[in-house]
Amino acid sequence: MTFLLVFWEFFKTGLFAIGGGLATIPFLMRMAENHNWFTTEELSNMIAVSESTPGPIGINMATYVGYSVGSESFGVVGGILGGILATTALVLPSLVIIMIIAGFLQKFRQNSLIEKTFFCLRPATIGMLAVSLIAMMSPLFFNPNGCGYFECFNLKAILLFAALLFGILKFKKHPIIYLAIGAVAGIIFKF
Amino acid sequence: MKTLLKLYGLFFKIGIMTFGGGYAMLPILERELAEKRKYVTMEEIMDYFAVGQCTPGIIAVNTATFIGFKRKGVLGGIFATVGVVTPSLIIITLLASALKLVAHNEIVKNAFAGISVAVCALIVQAILKLVKSGIKDALTFGIALASFSASYFLGASPIIVILISAVVGVIAKSILDKAEAKKKNKEEAK
């Protein structure tokens, strides 16, 4: 039953997530809320691993989520099956859609109705991605237990975030560098 | 069959070399498919990319499906797609099972806590990039704000948000285009 549900959830994601791998994050967030398959913290770990390994991020995340859901109840074999299932479900809708479109690519590009439809999808993705970001940031930046004057905030995390964001926007190096810095800082300062 | 396996192998290689998002794939596609093999022209790759961005699914995978389909029809599309996702399946599965074993280690936990902070910073950057290319006027700004509110305050599902945005896009853009045409007509009449 879990496997059917995994397939269905990722099929929906593949059908409605428009604009690449990061556009799937709001859908994964939704899965975390609805199914208790993983927490938002685990999700941000999965995103980190997906960004720093070869392969398209969206596919990596699907494989990872599928693996962790499957292995939860059926061990390694269940994990492998879950990973394959989630990935297949994610690419299935686009596989069919792209092959249909490929026949009349030029017409598709010039069709004004399609252009209009997609006009508002990118802003919609921006809004949803911002919500996912807040959900991922709150457990990192706010102390869940104990709230005095300053204990409310996790200052270490906020400082690291500010430093990394500055670096990312200023130097535009590959993401893996910032993830590595985050890992080292996490170990040294005991996050 | 030989061509199909070749397509699979080629996209397997491209899958391994894609690090990060779909755009990271562009230079590799250009070298492997346009320069070395002349399967497609660079213009075609850009076309596939443009369409891949506004169709459902992962951009990198969509581009693979396009090129595979163009070379060898439906089977070609399937082989190219399976090829581009195979490295992810293998690498992530191995990594996920290994990470599970050490997940409770204190050092690993601390490392991942730090990494999570970096992920948040990277997502901020991704959002800023999207804002630059996606928010052009009051309408697109309004849509972003509305989708944020619907998702944050009402807990609307992403599917609903996407569907409503598509409908609003068609209606609003039609009205805007009409208004612009009218203005143009008036100017011409003068």
Side-chain angles (χ1 to χ4, degrees), chain B residues 24-160:
Chain B
M25 193 186 184
L26 258 186
I28 300 158
L29 284 178
E30 186 182 6
R31 198 178 58 228
E32 293 291 323
L33 299 173
E35 283 170 16
K36 267 199 202 162
R37 292 190 181 73
K38 311 246 180 296
Y39 278 6
V40 285
T41 63
M42 198 51 206
E43 283 76 44
E44 280 175 300
I45 293 181
M46 295 308 291
D47 264 4
Y48 296 153
F49 240 75
V51 176
Q53 268 175 53
C54 59
T55 41
I58 313 300
I59 301 174
V61 178
N62 291 353
T63 311
T65 312
F66 258 130
I67 295 170
F69 182 79
K70 202 199 158 205
R71 294 290 302 168
K72 226 53 205 133
V74 173
L75 276 179
I78 294 174
F79 271 75
T81 307
V82 176
V84 85
V85 305
T86 311
S88 296
L89 276 173
I90 298 171
I91 295 169
I92 295 290
T93 302
L94 289 175
L95 220 70
S97 47
L99 282 175
K100 227 175 175 161
L101 296 176
V102 293
H104 297 290
N105 179 301
E106 201 58 34
I107 293 176
V108 175
K109 261 191 194 160
N110 287 339
F112 267 110
I115 289 174
S116 300
V117 174
V119 169
C120 289
L122 287 168
I123 293 179
V124 171
Q125 181 206 21
I127 291 177
L128 289 178
K129 256 192 216 161
L130 279 169
V131 165
K132 236 187 230 166
S133 64
I135 298 198
K136 299 236 157 82
D137 48 22
L139 174 65
T140 41
F141 180 74
I143 292 280
L145 206 63
S147 101
F148 177 87
S149 315
S151 163
Y152 191 75
F153 298 112
L154 308 176
S157 92
I159 296 178
I160 302 277

Side-chain angles (χ1 to χ4, degrees), chain A residues 120-133:
Chain A
C120 289
L121 290 189
R122 200 171 282 174
T125 300
I126 295 171
M128 291 192 291
L129 212 49
V131 175
S132 305
L133 179 69

Side-chain angles (χ1 to χ4, degrees), chain A residues 12-22 24-27 30 41 44-61 63-64 67-68 71-72 76 79-80 83-84 87 90-91 93-103 105-106 108-109 113-134 136-137 140-141 157-158 160-161 164-165 168-169 172-176 178-180 182-187 190-191, chain B residues 15-24 44 46-48 50-63 65-66 69 73-78 81 84-85 87-93 95-100 106-128 130-137 139-141 143-145 147-149 151-152 155-159 161-163 165-170 172-174 176-177:
Chain A
K12 281 194 293 185
T13 306
L15 192 57
F16 288 102
I18 294 162
L22 287 174
T24 64
I25 291 178
F27 290 82
R30 194 78 187 172
E41 275 141 303
S44 80
N45 293 352
M46 295 189 222
I47 296 172
V49 171
S50 303
E51 284 220 54
S52 45
T53 42
I57 298 178
I59 297 299
N60 290 352
M61 288 194 294
T63 308
Y64 204 144
Y67 180 90
S68 65
S71 65
E72 199 67 32
V76 177
I80 294 170
I84 294 175
T87 308
L90 183 72
V91 302
S94 67
L95 191 69
V96 175
I97 291 169
I98 292 289
M99 286 190 193
I100 295 170
I101 292 175
L105 185 64
Q106 287 313 317
F108 181 87
R109 285 213 67 182
L113 185 67
I114 285 165
E115 188 200 319
K116 284 172 191 161
T117 311
F118 291 110
F119 186 68
C120 289
L121 290 189
R122 200 171 282 174
T125 300
I126 295 171
M128 291 192 291
L129 212 49
V131 175
S132 305
L133 179 69
I134 293 174
M136 265 189 272
M137 278 168 78
L140 291 171
F141 291 174
I158 293 174
L160 177 63
F161 174 79
L164 283 170
L165 187 62
I168 289 169
L169 296 176
K172 299 188 166 57
K173 290 270 188 300
H174 194 278
I176 201 165
Y178 304 107
L179 294 169
V184 173
I187 294 171
K190 297 209 163 49
F191 270 58
Chain B
I16 285 194
M17 290 194 289
T18 305
F19 236 94
Y23 290 103
E44 280 175 300
M46 295 308 291
D47 264 4
Y48 296 153
V51 176
Q53 268 175 53
C54 59
T55 41
I58 313 300
I59 301 174
V61 178
N62 291 353
T63 311
T65 312
F66 258 130
F69 182 79
V74 173
L75 276 179
I78 294 174
T81 307
V84 85
V85 305
S88 296
L89 276 173
I90 298 171
I91 295 169
I92 295 290
T93 302
L95 220 70
S97 47
L99 282 175
K100 227 175 175 161
E106 201 58 34
I107 293 176
V108 175
K109 261 191 194 160
N110 287 339
F112 267 110
I115 289 174
S116 300
V117 174
V119 169
C120 289
L122 287 168
I123 293 179
V124 171
Q125 181 206 21
I127 291 177
L128 289 178
L130 279 169
V131 165
K132 236 187 230 166
S133 64
I135 298 198
K136 299 236 157 82
D137 48 22
L139 174 65
T140 41
F141 180 74
I143 292 280
L145 206 63
S147 101
F148 177 87
S149 315
S151 163
Y152 191 75
S157 92
I159 296 178
V161 174
I162 289 288
L163 286 177
S165 304
V167 173
V168 170
V170 172
K173 195 83 167 87
S174 306
L176 285 178
D177 286 355

